[in-house]
Amino acid sequence: MKDLVVTGWQKRATWRRIRPVVKALDARQGTVLKDRRYGGRMVAPGRGITALRQGTEEETVEQLLEAAARAGYGEHQVIINGRKRSLTFEPPDGLPFLWIEFFPAGTPIRGRGREPVPDGHTGIVFSFG
């Protein structure tokens, strides 16, 4: 049981590793709807950012794939679920786990109610951990 407990210094160390990746991906670009750090004694630390960006889903995916590559991420997996696309990246040494979900115009963003993403925009949910 002792191995499951997350200490304060472990949370702070993880959040420090996440900060430069948030900057490299420019995750706070556009309209930020939500930005929160999470983690508790029994929950691994992480950060979640939900934003709206101007542009099509294809443009946004391409921009973020390029930014992730510049940040040091390589291998990724694409998951398609209905109209929603997700990218998951295997974290190289020293980088946090990265998961990016894309919500095209007309689709509601997970966890944001039923209001759809406006035309000409893409909804994005970043998960770092």
Side-chain angles (χ1 to χ4, degrees):
M1 182 72 159
K2 186 177 182 179
D3 292 338
L4 297 176
V5 176
V6 180
T7 64
W9 70 266
Q10 288 170 315
K11 285 189 266 189
R12 288 187 297 278
T14 299
W15 290 327
R16 274 194 300 272
R17 280 193 353 247
I18 290 170
R19 192 175 311 128
V21 177
V22 169
K23 278 187 155 185
L25 295 178
D26 207 4
R28 295 187 46 80
Q29 176 187 352
T31 303
V32 176
L33 304 174
K34 187 179 188 179
D35 184 351
R36 73 179 188 96
R37 295 190 313 181
Y38 53 86
R41 290 180 48 82
M42 303 298 267
V43 177
R47 183 172 178 183
I49 298 173
T50 303
L52 288 174
R53 285 195 186 181
Q54 196 164 11
T56 67
E57 180 184 13
E58 290 76 22
E59 295 167 344
T60 307
V61 168
E62 188 63 33
Q63 290 168 357
L64 287 173
L65 279 172
E66 290 172 7
R70 284 192 305 272
Y73 291 91
E75 290 268 334
H76 67 278
Q77 182 179 17
V78 178
I79 302 164
I80 305 228
N81 183 4
R83 292 187 62 201
K84 183 187 81 171
R85 181 184 336 195
S86 301
L87 303 175
T88 60
F89 294 84
E90 282 300 316
D93 288 341
L95 291 177
F97 175 81
L98 173 60
W99 178 27
I100 309 171
E101 294 176 89
F102 299 89
F103 299 85
T107 305
I109 298 174
R110 171 182 59 83
R112 300 294 303 169
R114 294 181 181 222
E115 187 176 334
V117 172
D119 287 338
H121 291 78
T122 300
I124 306 167
V125 175
F126 296 92
S127 298
F128 305 93

